[in-house]
Amino acid sequence: MRSYLILGMSILFLIHYFIETQWLQYSLVIVALLAFFGSVTKADRFPRIVGLIMMGVGVITEWSKGTGGDGISDGIILILPLLCLLTLVPLLAIPLRLSGFFESISLLLQYLLHQPKKLYTGITGTLFILSPVLNLGSIKIIHEFLEDLKFPSAMTAKGYIMGFSTAIMWSPYFASVSLVLHYLDVSFNEYILFGISLGLLSLIVGNILFAFWIKRHPLALGDPQTGQMDKKIRKQLLKLILLVLILLAACLGIESITHWSMMVIVCFMSIIVPLVYGIITSDWKRMLPLLVDYRDRTVPMMNNEIMLFMSAGMLAFAMKGTTVMNGVSSILMSIANLSFFLFAVTILLFVLVVSYIGIHQIASVGVLAMQLNPVELGISNVALALILLLSWSISTALSPFSGLNLMVSKLAGVSGMKEGLRVNGQHVIIFSVISIVIISFVK
């Protein structure tokens, strides 16, 4: 039943985007709240408690502002694009799985198995390509190929977290990029080159640091593989890269023509791509079990995300314009007038500290994106977007409460606190300093 509620909420949102009627909005809010409270008993303990607290504080704050039910309704509607994105994007994994791309990735990693530096590049590079489309599912796929190899936990944590966190800064299929660009009214066309450049920079810095790390921690995996990799594997990998580029180009093209929200475009792409794949290949017999699995297992397992995303979005919307956030804005404006570098560092630390409390970046970054005025700060919308997304990426990599760290801590067998600060702290500091310097030229 919850699966149909969540899917129904997503479809209703897409309809509401084009047909804005009062009764449809109220229906959408009711379905969204039913999905939220339906996830309460199924969510893990921590997301459930934090989600209920954030939702409660958000509702009380919005009510105290005098907006009542309309304000609460607007707050929920504002975060629904992200929930729709979260729900529908996993559909893209179906054609990727059926096309044999995952098997090619497995063979690539096996080929690089006895070359630690190249293997690390293969892991992080694969995550750079897959994460924008498959989200955390990309880590699960990579780990299935590597879990029996007994790599050092530090290497696993470094590779997974660094490779995944790059997508947070540039992928339109991620909630981070869609949310920040939406709130700051920045088109994806205008942002993509800057965002993907920072993602590649993170990849380069991480691989350079790993080259130094492996010298201090030699990893004996046997003799290097001889001979060239099978042409069929290389061809499949090139097809995968081409497919990701086509998906990005399609999103850019549709946005420039229609001027629709990128979140809406990505939602439609997530539905259309599997549908087109099914029509072209007529492989419905193999697709049907995966679609049933998506409905019966993937969607119902989104309890934690629904609790955290909806409640954090409600809290961010409610905090906008409050005395507290007006005070924060004034302080940040004063800092920006003194030094752009200091301003950027302050944003990074603010988002990181809040994430360490357990509050999702949707709340902290969301409220900053809604509250801060780039003109008053003396910077461009793109520069502010880059700072906020850099903050989101870094806090995701370091916070022990982020979904990324919680997953990797289980897979790598290290605590979220250790894998965040000790394992990835050096990479985060170096990458942050270089990024802020680069962004200062964009402002």
Side-chain angles (χ1 to χ4, degrees), residues 188-218:
F188 188 67
N189 283 281
E190 185 182 0
Y191 174 82
I192 178 60
L193 286 178
F194 297 106
I196 204 166
S197 295
L198 285 190
L200 288 170
L201 174 64
S202 177
L203 207 63
I204 293 168
V205 171
N207 277 273
I208 291 174
L209 290 176
F210 179 77
F212 287 108
W213 182 87
I214 201 68
K215 286 183 179 179
R216 300 192 304 271
H217 306 83

Side-chain angles (χ1 to χ4, degrees), residues 286-420:
R286 287 203 301 158
M287 281 190 70
L288 187 58
L290 295 179
L291 289 169
V292 171
D293 183 68
Y294 164 79
R295 182 196 64 191
D296 296 342
R297 191 177 66 87
T298 303
V299 175
M301 285 178 64
M302 294 177 181
N303 304 297
N304 294 340
E305 288 83 358
I306 288 175
M307 290 291 299
L308 290 174
F309 277 44
M310 193 178 296
S311 58
M314 182 70 242
L315 179 61
F317 181 80
M319 290 299 293
K320 179 186 177 183
T322 61
T323 303
V324 173
M325 285 312 302
N326 287 336
V328 171
S329 296
S330 299
I331 293 171
L332 290 174
M333 200 178 304
S334 300
I335 295 173
N337 290 330
L338 290 174
S339 165
F340 174 79
F341 189 89
L342 187 59
F343 166 75
V345 170
T346 304
I347 294 287
L348 263 62
L349 291 176
F350 173 78
V351 175
L352 181 60
V353 169
V354 172
S355 70
Y356 260 80
I357 300 171
I359 297 177
H360 198 277
Q361 291 88 343
I362 288 177
S364 56
V365 174
V367 71
L368 288 173
M370 287 187 283
Q371 183 78 30
L372 297 177
N373 187 331
V375 175
E376 293 178 354
L377 293 169
I379 61 177
S380 67
N381 287 38
V382 172
L384 182 56
L386 287 167
I387 295 169
L388 292 176
L389 287 167
L390 177 64
S391 304
W392 193 316
S393 176
I394 287 170
S395 60
T396 299
L398 295 184
S399 172
F401 300 113
S402 71
L404 172 62
N405 262 325
L406 290 173
M407 175 183 285
V408 174
S409 64
K410 292 179 182 178
L411 300 179
V414 294
S415 70
M417 187 72 71
K418 180 180 178 180
E419 74 184 51

Side-chain angles (χ1 to χ4, degrees), residues 66-85:
T67 55
D70 288 337
I72 295 170
S73 174
D74 291 341
I76 292 173
I77 289 291
L78 195 65
I79 203 63
L80 285 184
L82 294 183
L83 292 176
C84 184
L85 197 74

Side-chain angles (χ1 to χ4, degrees), residues 19-314:
I19 306 173
E20 294 187 11
T21 61
Q22 197 69 40
W23 69 268
L24 189 57
Q25 177 171 328
Y26 287 147
S27 300
L28 181 55
V29 171
I30 291 170
V31 173
L33 288 174
L34 287 173
F36 177 82
F37 288 109
S39 300
V40 170
T41 57
K42 303 295 182 180
D44 294 338
R45 185 171 179 270
F46 180 77
R48 181 172 66 247
I49 294 172
V50 173
L52 288 172
I53 291 173
M54 288 194 294
M55 179 63 80
V57 172
V59 168
I60 292 170
T61 303
E62 196 61 40
W63 200 272
S64 67
K65 288 161 65 175
T67 55
D70 288 337
I72 295 170
S73 174
D74 291 341
I76 292 173
I77 289 291
L78 195 65
I79 203 63
L80 285 184
L82 294 183
L83 292 176
C84 184
L85 197 74
L86 179 75
T87 302
L88 297 176
V89 164
L91 284 169
L92 291 170
I94 294 176
L96 291 180
R97 185 176 293 277
L98 293 178
S99 298
F101 290 126
F102 296 166
E103 288 81 359
S104 298
I105 292 170
S106 175
L107 292 171
L108 168 67
L109 296 178
Q110 288 176 28
Y111 180 82
L112 300 175
L113 179 59
H114 304 292
Q115 306 172 68
K117 292 180 186 177
K118 291 184 179 180
L119 176 62
Y120 188 80
T121 301
I123 293 171
T124 55
T126 301
L127 287 172
F128 182 85
I129 296 169
L130 285 185
S131 296
V133 179
L134 302 182
N135 209 301
L136 287 172
S138 59
I139 293 179
K140 292 181 180 178
I141 290 168
I142 296 294
H143 192 70
E144 286 178 7
F145 304 148
L146 303 175
E147 62 181 334
D148 295 329
L149 302 179
K150 308 300 180 185
F151 289 131
S153 57
M155 177 179 174
T156 304
K158 280 176 180 291
Y160 290 173
I161 291 178
M162 193 273 287
F164 179 88
S165 61
T166 56
I168 295 174
M169 291 178 286
W170 68 270
S171 171
Y173 293 86
F174 265 47
S176 54
V177 175
S178 297
L179 178 89
V180 171
L181 298 189
H182 177 71
Y183 287 169
L184 292 178
D185 194 26
V186 176
S187 71
F188 188 67
N189 283 281
E190 185 182 0
Y191 174 82
I192 178 60
L193 286 178
F194 297 106
I196 204 166
S197 295
L198 285 190
L200 288 170
L201 174 64
S202 177
L203 207 63
I204 293 168
V205 171
N207 277 273
I208 291 174
L209 290 176
F210 179 77
F212 287 108
W213 182 87
I214 201 68
K215 286 183 179 179
R216 300 192 304 271
H217 306 83
L219 190 60
L221 295 175
D223 297 325
Q225 196 92 347
T226 58
Q228 289 190 337
M229 189 167 50
D230 188 272
K231 289 183 179 180
K232 186 177 179 181
I233 299 173
R234 293 206 305 270
K235 189 175 180 181
Q236 276 289 84
L237 294 172
L238 288 174
K239 283 182 179 179
L240 176 58
I241 295 172
L242 182 61
L243 177 60
V244 172
L245 291 175
I246 289 172
L247 289 174
L248 290 174
C251 290
L252 290 169
I254 294 171
E255 184 191 46
S256 63
I257 294 170
T258 64
H259 302 293
W260 293 348
S261 164
M262 181 55 71
M263 287 183 276
V264 172
I265 294 171
V266 170
C267 288
F268 276 121
M269 290 288 290
S270 301
I271 297 172
I272 292 170
V273 170
L275 183 62
V276 170
Y277 176 84
I279 293 172
I280 292 175
T281 63
S282 298
D283 200 2
W284 299 108
K285 186 176 181 180
R286 287 203 301 158
M287 281 190 70
L288 187 58
L290 295 179
L291 289 169
V292 171
D293 183 68
Y294 164 79
R295 182 196 64 191
D296 296 342
R297 191 177 66 87
T298 303
V299 175
M301 285 178 64
M302 294 177 181
N303 304 297
N304 294 340
E305 288 83 358
I306 288 175
M307 290 291 299
L308 290 174
F309 277 44
M310 193 178 296
S311 58
M314 182 70 242

